[in-house]
Structures are given as structure tokens and as C-alpha cells.
Amino acid sequence: MHPNVPKVRGSRGDSDGPRRGSLCERHCAAINNAHGELGELGCHLHRPRVPPAASPPSCCQQHSEEVCESCLLKTTLTAENAVEANKLSNNYKFGFKKWKSHVTARPWEDRSEIVKELYSDLNVIRASGGSTLTCGNVLYLLLFGWWLSLLYVLVAAVMFLSVMGAPYGRLCWELAGYFLWPFGKVIQKVEVPKSHRVREAGVGESSALLGGPTPRRCCPRGSVPDGDSRSQRRASTAAWLCLGYPPLALAHGLVCVTAWLLIVLIPVAKLSARAAARVLLLPPRRLLVRRLGRTEVPLEGEVILCCYRAANPYYYKYAVDGINVLAVNLLPLVLVTLVLGYVDSPNHLTGSAVKFTLALLSIMPLSYYIGMAIASISAQSNFAVGAVVNATFGSITELTFYITALIKGSREGNRCYAEVVKSALTGTLVGCVLFVPGLCMVIGGIRHQEQRFNSRSAGVSSALLFLSVGGVFAPTLFAKVYGKLVCGECHNVTQNPLGHYLCHNCHFDLMDNNGTLYYSHVQPLVYTVSILLPAAYLVGLFFTLKTHTHIYDIHISDCHMPGHHHSAVVHWSRWRALLILLLSTLCMSACADLATEHISPILTNSTISQYFIGVTVLAMVPELPEIVNGIQFALQNNLSLSIEIGNCIAVQVCMLQIPILVLFTIFYPTNFTLVFSDLHVYASMFSVVLMNYIFMDGKCDYFQGTVLVMVYFILLAVYFFAPSPSGC
């Protein structure tokens, strides 16, 4: 039973159980026929978010007396529309990518006030803006305000010297004070009728409507006497566009990009963008800059800019067309990596270490785009299409890097690449079994004292994980038993021919007697395992998605609350998501090629063990988006999905990725053999046993998560101090 959503309890011993069950079946069939978009989701329950007295009864509540007993034991999740319902349902399906973010636009009324403020335009005047002396505003002054104001003063001087641009000079002088400290001030676009210009000539007039003195000038800024020709205005505008606007637009563009990259200063980016796009392109006579008092009523006219805070720490939640702002900001990094990697091939501008780091960091946003594209396609498609897309592209990030590394190692005749790939596979397995669920338990345990999860669904993943680990390491154990131990160098430590010998660089040789052991025994075993593991994965899919779907105890409610929109407005359509998926995969291949191209100097010159590089950097960096999703699920007390994220990745490593690599070596011979070092075998098996011991009771806390994380770091220390594998 999933613990996170309230359940409706009923008595199992009710005498009219059979009658109620039959009525429920008919009722559920009627609901599914009326709402066919949700398919075979079964009987649905819904707990309203508003008091019952204030909300009309939903479709399920009208038949509360006919609810079947099985429905009373189900966990019900509420979705805004059918697409989100499919996405939530896919999150609980084995083999499907778990995705936290919405794939459709959420109704505005369902969003919190914090999120609404993130998307609000800077043109709203608040009744009480509060104090403007905040740390974020002071940071704006230190980073941008002082030099931006100084630039406006210099431009104002230039415009005054040009004579024709004097109206714009006065505007720049006022904007210099505004951009030095824009908080609590307003820029308005005003309409000044010609008949009112004489009355505006008075100085210091007060108005009850305005609540304060009128601006102290005899005529609107930039206006000219009626007798002047339009040519003077055109000359003034030309001088402004040639001398004043370009440097200011460039400065605001620099501020906009810098503030956007800092994320928390996105309000400053919006401020600068609107200033360059609207304020500086309006005639001076149409603009009014003034400070608002706390009880002052604003002037009539369109508010262009009104800012109270320069920083907001919640902007990490900001999204552009459904894409998180972090992924948006990292997208230019991909372009820089590709241009720098393929244009500067001789490494004249940067070295291999910089290019390798950039290529590795570029994998993170590409993994995010691939994940969102898969989730979008799966949510808008039927089960068969979703299963194919997840099976095809679910592991594309890791497989792209592994295959390019094996190809490069085969071309150079360097066995080190194959060992690095094995280390990355083991690191992904160990990290997803220990680090991902452990970190989610720790972070989720900070907010929730004890978290529960579905032990039955976790048990299915654990059983498949035991099977997959045993199958993957079976050839290794076979080689240890029947292989010949060969050592590179041995020394007699007792000076006695019959005494003890100390040997270095020992390994089991499988190529003795012209490779009879390997080609006749080990290789057929590897091929057999590579066939059985995907078959077991398909059996697991059929078990969890077809015959035993009830073990997840999940139902998606189609009883929407009043005000919810039944029609979904998707961020990415299926064709757009497919295009982004293909482009991201292509860019991923290019970045993986650059990473493998420039990893050779790091492996050769680095004093760190190649084991450590493989199990940490190469294994966990592509999984960062999945780790973030797991943490978000844990914070919402949905630890079941956090655990399933790690388990599904680990199972896919053993049951899909490794068999695909073995299949690849058949058509393209490489140095990759399914024989791992002792360190990989012991670390993987110990991790799986420990994970199953922790997950037995279906509940956990931050202490158990700390144990998993500490064990993971201990294994990392072992890999760090371990000698490099033979052949590197």
C-alpha cells in the first residue's frame, strides 16, 4: 500500500461484499466508457482539496455506497488532465522513465503564490511593497546598478552635446537615477493631450487623485512647441538611435544574460530586457519616471516597469516552455562544447582536460531533454509506443558513451578503454543501488520523520536485480574457477627456493592453449547470459505491467475538481518531442565522442586510479537528472518512486546495457569481455545484499539512508586507492 495519499477504509467482512463488487465493476466500466482517455485504470477515488460542504459531490462520491472492496485498498493520485494521468501512471510502471516535472501546462489557479510571483510581469504596482532594502537589492547595486547608472550619465552628456538629442539626454539623466536603485519606482507610458499642456505648466500643483505633487516641468519631456517641425523630432530620434541607444542596449543585454545565468537574479534580467526592448525605444515625451509613496495612487497610464525585489531564491523552479531554467542555461554549454571540440582539434585554444570536462557537463542537459522527451511521448501515446520508446532511448545516454569508448579503444589497441567502461557500468550499478536511494532517504528524512514505500514493488525490482547481478558476473566466476593465474613479476621474500613469493599484476588468463577456455567455454556462456537477461527483463515487464499490476496499488483519478481543465495543453507535442529526442541523441553522440577523444591524456597522466574515474565521473554524471527527480519525489514523501528510479537504472544496466554491448562486440570486435575484476564483483554483490536488507520492512528514515551513503563513500575510497587495472 502506498503510504503517501490518504486511503478510504472499509470493512472486509461486510456481508454484501459480492453485491457491492458487481455493482462496482459496472460503475467502473461506465466511468471508463465515459472517460475513455484513461483506459483501464479501474475504479477511481478522489479526495477533494476543499471542504466537503463547499464542493459539489464528484462522480465517484455519488456512488460511494457501490464502491468495491478492492478500490478501498488502492492509492489514488489526482491529475489535472488525461495526459498528466498517463504520465503519473507511467511513473509506477516498471521499465518506464520516472519523471517529476509536468508535461502539460498547469492551471494557473492550482499554482502556489510563490510560483505565481515567479511568472508575474514587472508591471504590477503593489499596495504595500514593503522595505526595498534587501540583500538582493544591495547585490544588484554592487553588480550592475552603479556602472549602469554611470553609463546613463555619460550617454546623457553625449546627447546634450549633440543638441538635437537633448530630450533623450534629459530622459537618460532620469533613468540614471532609476537604474541606480529601481526598487519602489515606476516607469509609465503616459498620454498627454495637447489641450492639457498649458495646465501642466503650473509648478507644484497638487491633486487628490494623484495624492502628491505633479512633475515639475512646464511641458512634457521631449515635447516641442507646436510651431516646430517634425524634422527636429526625426533628427533627435536619429541622434538617439546612432549615439545613445546602441551602448545602452548592449549594456542591458550584458546585464540580462548575466542575471539570467545567475538564476536568482532573473527579475533583473526581465528588468533589463524590458528596458532595452520598450523603454529606450519610446519617445521621451511618452515616459514618466517617478517614485511611489506607500499610500500614493499611481498616475493613469500603462505601467512599463515596476520592480520591488532584485532576487528571488525560488527561481530554480522557473521553467520556459516546460523546460527547467537550469537546463535552459546549460544548453549554450552544449554548443560551446561542440564548436570548441571540433573546430579546435589541435588543442590550440584549450587542452584535453578542459574539453573532456565540457563534454561531460554537456551530457547533463542533454540527459534532461532526452528524459522529458521520452516522458512527453509516453504520456501522449498508448502503452505499446511508450514501452518501445522507453526501451529504445531509456539507456541511450550511457550506451552512447560506452560504445564510442569501445570503438576508440579498439582502433588504438588500448585495453584501458574497455576497463573504464566496465568501471562505469559497475559505478552506475553501485551508485543507483546505494547512493541514489540513500541520498533520497537522507533528504526526504529531513522533512519526514519516517517514510514508507511499497515493499512489494521494491521486491520485484530487487528480485530482478539479484538475477541480473548473478547473470552478469557468472562468466567472471566461471573464469576465476577454470582460468589460469598469471603474474607479471614475483619475488622470493625468504631467500629460500621453497619459501613464500610476492607476486604483482596477477590475473586469470583465459587465452591459454590458443584460447580454448575462452572461445569454447567462457564466450558461449557470455552469449547465453546475454540472451537470458533481456528475456528475464521482458518477463518482469509482463509480470508488472500486465498480470500483476495490482502490486503497485496505484490508480489515477479521473474525477476532476471543479475548475480543473480536462483538455491538456502539452508543452511538447509528440512530433516536437520526437524531434528534440533525436537532436538530443545526436548531440549526445557528439559529446560522447569528444569525451572519449580527450579522456586518453587524463587516463595516462592522472595519478588517480582509472577505476575511480570510471565509477564516479563517467558513471554518475549522466544520472544527475535522475538523481534530481528522485530527490524531488522524496521531498514529497513519495519514496517508492525514488527507490524505483535507482532500481530500474541498475536493472537496465545489467539486463539491457551489458547485453547490448556484448551484441555490439559480435558485429564490431572490441576488447570488451564480460569478465570483471574481483573488486567490481565484491562491490556489486555487497551493495545489492545491503540494499535488500534495508528495504525489507517497507519503511526507512534518514539514518538508514546515511548508512547507504556512507557505504557508498567507503567503496569510493577503495576504488580511489586501488591500483589501475592491467592494460592501463
Side-chain angles (χ1 to χ4, degrees):
M1 174 66 62
H2 197 285
N4 306 325
V5 182
K7 312 164 189 65
V8 181
R9 303 186 180 273
S11 172
R12 293 195 174 192
D14 201 343
S15 60
D16 59 344
R19 180 182 63 83
R20 293 168 58 193
S22 60
L23 288 175
C24 178
E25 293 176 359
R26 294 196 299 269
H27 174 55
C28 294
I31 292 180
N32 289 332
N33 291 333
H35 303 82
E37 299 178 3
L38 294 181
E40 300 176 359
L41 292 179
C43 183
H44 308 295
L45 303 178
H46 177 67
R47 180 173 181 173
R49 300 180 184 177
V50 296
S55 61
S58 62
C59 59
C60 294
Q61 293 169 343
Q62 293 175 357
H63 302 271
S64 59
E65 295 182 357
E66 302 175 357
V67 176
C68 58
E69 181 177 330
S70 61
C71 293
L72 300 178
L73 303 177
K74 300 298 182 181
T75 298
T76 303
L77 304 178
T78 303
E80 292 91 353
N81 49 65
V83 176
E84 285 298 328
N86 287 335
K87 190 210 73 173
L88 291 177
S89 179
N90 291 339
N91 281 344
Y92 290 90
K93 293 177 181 177
F94 176 77
F96 279 66
K97 184 175 287 292
K98 280 63 178 167
W99 196 251
K100 175 63 176 63
S101 303
H102 279 64
V103 296
T104 60
R106 295 189 63 189
W108 184 255
E109 60 271 13
D110 288 350
R111 299 194 174 192
S112 64
E113 294 299 327
I114 294 178
V115 176
K116 289 181 180 179
E117 184 177 356
L118 302 181
Y119 294 93
S120 61
D121 293 330
L122 300 181
N123 57 2
V124 178
I125 298 178
R126 303 177 185 174
S128 177
S131 176
T132 59
L133 186 61
T134 62
C135 295
N137 294 354
V138 174
L139 181 63
Y140 163 84
L141 176 64
L142 297 177
L143 292 180
F144 310 112
W146 67 272
W147 64 265
L148 200 58
S149 176
L150 180 61
L151 179 62
Y152 269 96
V153 172
L154 295 178
V155 172
V158 172
M159 298 309 296
F160 278 122
L161 292 176
S162 67
V163 180
M164 294 181 298
Y168 286 96
R170 290 190 291 269
L171 173 64
C172 289
W173 180 258
E174 292 193 11
L175 291 180
Y178 177 84
F179 285 106
L180 178 66
W181 188 266
F183 314 108
K185 301 177 183 177
V186 63
I187 297 179
Q188 288 183 287
K189 177 183 177 181
V190 295
E191 296 286 346
V192 184
K194 293 183 179 181
S195 59
H196 292 176
R197 290 181 180 177
V198 177
R199 284 185 290 175
E200 290 177 358
V203 178
E205 291 182 353
S206 59
S207 170
L209 177 63
L210 301 180
T214 58
R216 294 175 175 268
R217 53 177 179 263
C218 60
C219 59
R221 186 199 316 108
S223 62
V224 293
D226 294 338
D228 291 352
S229 64
R230 294 184 178 180
S231 60
Q232 293 181 347
R233 292 183 180 177
R234 293 176 180 175
S236 176
T237 303
W240 167 250
L241 294 178
C242 294
L243 301 177
Y245 181 76
L248 293 177
L250 182 62
H252 279 293
L254 178 62
V255 172
C256 182
V257 172
T258 305
W260 182 273
L261 293 177
L262 294 176
I263 296 179
V264 294
L265 295 179
I266 286 182
V268 178
K270 294 181 179 180
L271 181 77
S272 295
R274 181 162 294 189
R278 290 207 59 189
V279 174
L280 298 182
L281 294 179
L282 287 174
R285 65 182 181 277
R286 303 284 298 277
L287 293 174
L288 178 63
V289 181
R290 65 196 303 272
R291 176 184 295 275
L292 288 176
R294 293 188 176 182
T295 60
E296 193 173 14
V297 179
L299 290 174
E300 293 183 358
E302 178 188 356
V303 177
I304 301 178
L305 275 180
C306 183
C307 183
Y308 294 92
R309 297 288 185 273
N312 190 331
Y314 292 99
Y315 262 100
Y316 70 91
K317 299 181 178 181
Y318 194 75
V320 180
D321 198 15
I323 308 172
N324 186 267
V325 64
L326 295 173
V328 174
N329 287 353
L330 289 176
L331 188 59
L333 182 65
V334 179
L335 302 179
V336 173
T337 300
L338 296 179
V339 172
L340 191 63
Y342 288 104
V343 174
D344 184 33
S345 299
N347 292 342
H348 293 312
L349 299 178
T350 57
S352 295
V354 175
K355 292 181 179 178
F356 172 75
T357 304
L358 291 176
L360 209 59
L361 293 177
S362 300
I363 292 177
M364 291 190 295
L366 292 175
S367 299
Y368 176 90
Y369 286 103
I370 290 175
M372 184 167 179
I374 292 175
S376 298
I377 295 174
S378 301
Q380 300 175 66
S381 307
N382 55 32
F383 168 76
V385 174
V388 170
V389 171
N390 279 271
T392 306
F393 293 94
S395 301
I396 194 67
T397 302
E398 298 85 353
L399 286 174
T400 303
F401 176 78
Y402 299 154
I403 291 176
T404 53
L406 292 178
I407 292 175
K408 183 174 177 59
S410 177
R411 291 175 178 175
E412 297 181 357
N414 190 349
R415 293 182 53 193
C416 190
Y417 286 93
E419 294 299 327
V420 169
V421 169
K422 294 178 185 178
S423 300
L425 289 169
T426 307
T428 305
L429 174 62
V430 173
C432 292
V433 169
L434 296 179
F435 181 69
V436 174
L439 182 64
C440 294
M441 288 180 187
V442 173
I443 296 179
I446 296 175
R447 178 176 294 183
H448 309 282
Q449 185 175 8
E450 183 180 80
Q451 293 185 290
R452 296 180 177 271
F453 54 90
N454 191 336
S455 58
R456 295 190 63 189
S457 61
V460 174
S461 300
S462 300
L464 287 174
L465 196 55
F466 264 119
L467 172 63
S468 59
V469 169
V472 165
F473 293 117
T476 303
L477 299 178
F478 187 89
K480 302 300 181 187
V481 174
Y482 296 102
K484 180 180 179 181
L485 184 63
V486 178
C487 296
E489 184 179 4
C490 295
H491 300 282
N492 191 340
V493 295
T494 61
Q495 302 300 326
N496 186 351
L498 300 178
H500 298 283
Y501 285 82
L502 180 63
C503 300
H504 301 278
N505 298 327
C506 297
H507 64 279
F508 286 92
D509 187 13
L510 304 178
M511 296 300 175
D512 191 23
N513 297 327
N514 297 323
T516 303
L517 176 64
Y518 179 76
Y519 291 111
S520 300
H521 301 280
V522 176
Q523 193 175 58
L525 177 61
V526 170
Y527 293 155
T528 303
V529 168
S530 300
I531 295 174
L532 292 178
L533 288 179
Y537 185 79
L538 294 178
V539 172
L541 288 177
F542 186 78
F543 177 82
T544 56
L545 302 180
K546 189 65 176 178
T547 62
H548 287 69
T549 56
H550 60 275
I551 65 174
Y552 291 99
D553 292 335
I554 295 299
H555 280 268
I556 312 299
S557 174
D558 60 354
C559 302
H560 300 275
M561 289 296 297
H564 282 188
H565 302 284
H566 294 266
S567 59
V569 181
V570 295
H571 292 304
W572 296 355
S573 64
R574 275 177 291 190
W575 288 108
R576 181 182 180 186
L578 180 60
L579 178 61
I580 293 175
L581 179 60
L582 296 177
L583 290 177
S584 300
T585 303
L586 182 63
C587 293
M588 179 73 71
S589 302
C591 291
D593 178 66
L594 291 175
T596 54
E597 181 71 25
H598 297 283
I599 195 177
S600 181
I602 298 176
L603 297 177
T604 305
N605 303 325
S606 176
T607 57
I608 303 176
S609 171
Q610 282 79 5
Y611 281 142
F612 183 78
I613 296 176
V615 300
T616 54
V617 179
L618 303 182
M620 298 310 295
V621 168
E623 308 300 337
L624 284 178
E626 302 290 344
I627 295 175
V628 172
N629 280 331
I631 292 174
Q632 290 178 330
F633 284 128
L635 288 175
Q636 292 186 344
N637 202 21
N638 194 349
L639 195 63
S640 292
L641 289 183
S642 300
I643 295 174
E644 285 297 319
I645 285 176
N647 286 348
C648 286
I649 296 175
V651 169
Q652 287 180 351
V653 167
C654 298
M655 291 190 164
L656 290 181
Q657 295 179 18
I658 291 179
I660 290 175
L661 293 178
V662 172
L663 180 64
F664 175 77
T665 57
I666 298 177
F667 299 97
Y668 192 98
T670 64
N671 296 322
F672 181 79
T673 58
L674 204 60
V675 178
F676 292 81
S677 67
D678 294 346
L679 183 57
H680 293 330
V681 176
Y682 298 147
S684 300
M685 290 188 171
F686 177 74
S687 301
V688 173
V689 172
L690 178 61
M691 183 267 294
N692 280 272
Y693 175 77
I694 293 293
F695 293 164
M696 282 192 307
D697 56 353
K699 58 183 179 180
C700 63
D701 48 42
Y702 74 90
F703 175 74
Q704 293 175 324
T706 304
V707 171
L708 293 179
V709 173
M710 289 296 105
V711 171
Y712 176 74
F713 284 130
I714 290 173
L715 292 178
L716 289 188
V718 173
Y719 278 109
F720 181 83
F721 294 105
S724 298
S726 59
C728 293

